Amino acid sequence: ERAARRLDLERAMKQLKPRERSMLWLAYAQGWSHEEIATAIGVKTGSMKAMLHRARRRLVALLKPGERS
């Protein structure tokens, strides 16, 4: 079960845009702050928060059954 979920997550992450993947990775795997991520990708913190929110919503949609490509 855990291995299957990991594979599903890997497949979904590959379907995201590179910037979306980077933001999600930095936020949730590396624990970077919003400010750190914004600086790293060269946008304002408010913009990055909105972008991260959209990336997270897209990832969730890709992980739902029937939503995968």
Side-chain angles (χ1 to χ4, degrees), residues 21-55:
R21 275 195 304 272
S22 295
M23 287 188 305
L24 289 167
W25 179 261
L26 293 172
Y28 300 108
Q30 300 297 314
W32 285 25
S33 70
H34 290 150
E35 292 79 15
E36 291 171 318
I37 298 168
T39 300
I41 65 172
V43 299
K44 293 182 180 180
T45 303
S47 296
M48 193 287 308
K49 287 180 183 181
M51 293 164 62
L52 181 61
H53 178 73
R54 287 191 298 270

Side-chain angles (χ1 to χ4, degrees), residues 6-8 12-16 19 28-29 36-37 42-44 47 50-51 54 56 58 60 62-63 67 69:
R6 183 180 173 107
L7 284 174
D8 288 343
M13 289 290 282
K14 287 179 182 178
Q15 293 181 55
L16 297 174
R19 184 181 255 187
Y28 300 108
E36 291 171 318
I37 298 168
V43 299
K44 293 182 180 180
S47 296
M51 293 164 62
R54 287 191 298 270
R56 195 171 43 237
R58 188 159 178 244
V60 168
L62 288 168
L63 289 169
E67 299 287 326
S69 305

